[in-house]
Amino acid sequence: MSNIAHIEAIPVQAPAKEDDLDGSVDTLVVRITDEDGRCGIGECDAPPEVVKAFIDMPTAHLWSRNIAELLVGRDPLELTGLWETMYEATSYPGRRGLGIHAISAIDIALHDLAGRQIGKPAYKLMGGARRPFLTPYATIFPGMPRGRSITEILDVTEQQFQKAMNIGFHAVKMEVLYEDLVTDAQLVDCIRQGRRMLGDAMTMMVDFGYRWHSWHDAKWVLDRIEDCNIYFAEAAIQHDDLHGHSRLSRQTSIRVCGAEHAATRWEIREWIETGKVAVVQPDINRCGGLTEIRRISDMANLYGVLVIPHGWKTGITAACGRHFQASTINAPWFEFLSPDLYDSPLRRELVSPEPTITNGRMALPDAPGLGVELNDAALAKFRRD
Ligand code: MG
């Protein structure tokens, strides 16, 4: 046993594309070192300096404590106990949002470190394998319109679909964040074109990027693509409109899903009980880490709800998706941001190695911890502190 010796929160930033929507443009890397010098890494998808400030804040009182004071000297294998300690001791400023994003990054780093200490992959700390292989899905995001025509955007989408199929994916999500470039009727046509590009054998999901403020408008489009065999309809209406999600879910045969911004099982329970969604999509690096998504997926399973995590960050989050799906029965897919499909310096360079995909499948991870190594040269290049 080697206890926690040191915690670092390192803001990292790559050059941003103008007016785009790329969650992988920055990250907060958390690195936790044990008394023997072994390291575990984690990250979260929130403004890096703000989360760093949360992690580094000095203790004010019993419900607003400094994280390092809580963790240094503790055994990293006590994953759930440490999670509860952090949650309770930051409950005054935390409990949701940034406080949970901070705990997410730390919890991921603890899984990496604990796995390295015992020489086992992180999914074995999450209950072990529940499936023989992994099934990632690829998100195809051609970028925001930025003055392009819909024809130009669909051309990029088609090229990316082809590339995803060549890489070996069997499931693809079409991002249709076209804003007012298309009417709802034209959007229906775009999605039907997308299905024709992919052929009938591919699993196809659609992300609407919060297009509508009315569930009825969303229903109008979903009704007209019901014969396209769409696996799920993501972010059709506003994230906080859970009653709208409930109404929409009752009115369509397509699985309605969301919750990519949700934190903890407490918020996900509202998505399930009030929102009546078929699939929840918490991000492991935002919902509370690997400890919390384990609890979320166990809870969702009681309701017959699937958990297909969001993931648009670096290879650290991509690795988390693999360990989560490996150890989860009600996770038929996980979002896998492929560095070959989306041009992101941090996704490409920050950690390695990358898994291979064959016939839609990845092997279960076998290296200790998360199974990825921080690239020191990339960290030096992109760190902002
Ligand atoms: Mg999304």
Side-chain angles (χ1 to χ4, degrees), residues 130-382:
R130 305 295 304 280
R131 57 184 67 246
F133 54 83
L134 307 180
T135 47
Y137 82 79
T139 295
I140 300 304
F141 178 46
M144 299 306 286
R146 299 195 313 275
R148 292 174 294 172
S149 70
I150 189 63
T151 310
E152 289 173 292
I153 294 170
L154 286 172
D155 282 349
V156 174
T157 299
E158 184 166 24
Q159 288 163 21
Q160 293 289 87
F161 278 174
Q162 197 55 53
K163 208 167 170 184
M165 291 189 276
N166 292 344
I167 289 169
F169 283 100
H170 281 189
V172 161
K173 184 168 78 185
M174 183 180 188
E175 298 274 321
V176 295
L177 280 68
Y178 305 147
E179 302 180 313
D180 54 6
L181 199 56
V182 294
T183 63
D184 284 357
Q186 289 167 328
L187 178 61
V188 169
D189 188 49
C190 293
I191 294 166
R192 302 187 78 83
Q193 281 187 57
R195 173 45 93 186
R196 282 196 294 275
M197 292 171 193
L198 288 171
D200 292 336
M202 289 285 284
T203 297
M204 178 181 178
M205 299 94 160
V206 179
D207 184 349
F208 293 95
Y210 309 103
R211 180 175 175 89
W212 296 287
H213 287 261
S214 153
W215 67 270
H216 205 273
D217 290 338
K219 172 180 155 36
W220 190 91
V221 166
L222 295 189
D223 283 349
R224 283 155 183 80
I225 57 170
E226 269 194 323
D227 62 340
C228 291
N229 193 18
I230 303 299
Y231 189 85
F232 65 56
E234 172 180 338
I237 57 176
Q238 303 306 295
H239 196 279
D240 282 330
D241 182 9
L242 296 185
H243 290 281
H245 280 86
S246 169
R247 292 188 172 92
L248 183 60
S249 293
R250 276 170 227 211
Q251 299 276 343
T252 176
S253 67
I254 300 173
R255 293 176 187 86
V256 173
C257 63
E260 65 187 353
H261 303 319
T264 76
R265 60 202 182 281
W266 304 105
E267 284 191 8
I268 295 293
R269 184 174 69 172
E270 295 306 310
W271 273 84
I272 294 171
E273 290 206 335
T274 305
K276 303 275 191 278
V277 292
V279 181
V280 289
Q281 301 169 290
D283 192 315
I284 297 166
N285 70 39
R286 293 168 60 85
C287 73
L290 291 164
T291 293
E292 191 64 3
I293 201 161
R294 161 89 295 115
R295 298 193 283 203
I296 286 169
S297 54
D298 287 346
M299 175 183 68
N301 206 24
L302 294 176
Y303 295 87
V305 167
L306 303 175
V307 183
I308 304 180
H310 172 266
W312 196 272
K313 212 65 187 169
T314 78
I316 301 171
T317 293
C320 288
R322 298 198 286 279
H323 290 277
F324 166 69
Q325 201 202 16
S327 58
T328 307
I329 196 72
N330 53 327
W333 308 98
F334 67 102
E335 183 173 34
F336 182 74
L337 173 56
S338 167
D340 297 323
L341 288 172
Y342 188 80
D343 183 31
S344 162
L346 293 187
R347 176 64 188 89
R348 196 170 53 239
E349 296 179 42
L350 195 64
V351 301
S352 60
E354 284 298 323
T356 53
I357 304 168
T358 308
N359 285 329
R361 299 174 176 184
M362 281 178 190
L364 296 193
D366 55 6
L370 294 178
V372 291
E373 302 298 329
L374 201 52
N375 174 354
D376 290 332
L379 185 66
K381 180 163 82 172
F382 296 119

Side-chain angles (χ1 to χ4, degrees), residues 50-126:
V50 185
V51 184
K52 178 178 170 58
F54 191 96
I55 291 173
D56 293 343
M57 69 181 179
T59 291
H61 53 72
L62 280 180
W63 293 340
S64 184
R65 292 189 62 188
N66 174 265
I67 296 275
E69 282 178 22
L70 300 169
L71 298 189
V72 170
R74 299 285 303 271
D75 178 355
L77 271 163
E78 293 183 26
L79 293 159
T80 306
L82 295 176
W83 197 101
E84 291 299 328
T85 297
M86 289 189 284
Y87 181 81
E88 286 166 16
T90 59
S91 60
Y92 214 73
R95 290 176 42 254
R96 298 289 188 275
L98 290 161
I100 294 300
H101 305 338
I103 289 175
S104 303
I106 294 164
D107 179 80
I108 292 166
L110 288 172
H111 275 80
D112 190 27
L113 178 58
R116 286 167 192 269
Q117 287 189 350
I118 63 169
K120 304 269 186 192
Y123 76 82
K124 300 213 176 195
L125 296 164
M126 301 174 68

Side-chain angles (χ1 to χ4, degrees), residues 20-31:
D20 221 319
L21 185 61
D22 175 13
S24 72
V25 73
D26 64 8
T27 191
L28 180 77
V29 174
V30 166
R31 181 162 54 190

